[in-house]
Amino acid sequence: MVAKTEASKVVDMRDGRQQVGRRGEAYAAAFLRVKGFRVVAQNWRCRFGEIDLIVERDDVLRFVEVKTRLTDTYGHPEESITPTKLEHLRRSIECWLRAHASSSKQYQADVIAIFVKEGSKPEVHWVEGVL
């Protein structure tokens, strides 16, 4: 058996976090669909960052940051939304609005925090109107 280098361990950890994040985003998209939202885009990127989900209902766009955690070692998922992250999200939203002609005149930014306890159904905390 070949020992892994420190760099490959870091890559493996990142891959694991990305996989958890992608699963959380898929869960959040399904959660919002049940609430009557239509998914407009997922993982939209620009130079300021990524918007996890863009959804629409009743001509209102929602730009959604999704945070997923498997443990509460570092706090609840929504606690990782810093002022810097909100500023990146605000700038990314502005980029999206400039790049897409939209009939929606109203929009807001939300956070969906998902906490997945082993053997339990994921807990969803939806924080509306963070911007």
Side-chain angles (χ1 to χ4, degrees):
M1 182 172 174
V2 178
K4 289 186 176 184
T5 65
E6 288 301 312
S8 67
K9 288 179 186 176
V10 171
V11 170
D12 288 348
M13 286 174 38
R14 258 191 236 130
D15 288 344
R17 282 194 305 255
Q18 286 176 348
Q19 187 176 30
V20 168
R22 295 294 182 223
R23 285 184 181 163
E25 290 166 8
Y27 193 87
F31 171 84
L32 290 168
R33 281 187 190 101
V34 168
K35 303 282 185 195
F37 288 90
R38 178 179 66 86
V39 175
V40 175
Q42 289 184 261
N43 306 117
W44 187 83
R45 291 181 179 272
C46 70
R47 66 183 185 162
F48 298 111
E50 178 181 88
I51 301 173
D52 295 328
L53 292 171
I54 303 169
V55 299
E56 184 177 34
R57 182 178 71 186
D58 301 328
D59 289 329
V60 177
L61 283 172
R62 305 271 185 124
F63 298 90
V64 184
E65 175 68 19
V66 180
K67 290 295 181 187
T68 308
R69 292 224 175 128
L70 301 177
T71 72
D72 60 0
T73 301
Y74 298 104
H76 290 280
E78 62 270 27
E79 293 177 54
S80 65
I81 305 295
T82 64
T84 300
K85 176 60 186 168
L86 289 175
E87 179 60 19
H88 285 245
L89 181 58
R90 184 189 65 74
R91 288 177 162 198
S92 297
I93 290 168
E94 289 173 0
C95 279
W96 193 90
L97 291 170
R98 280 193 304 271
H100 296 83
S102 172
S103 61
S104 298
K105 294 182 180 164
Q106 297 180 347
Y107 67 90
Q108 70 182 52
D110 297 348
V111 170
I112 292 186
I114 302 171
F115 184 62
V116 184
K117 291 181 185 176
E118 190 173 332
S120 298
K121 183 179 175 184
E123 296 174 18
V124 178
H125 184 209
W126 184 9
V127 183
E128 297 182 76
V130 296
L131 288 178

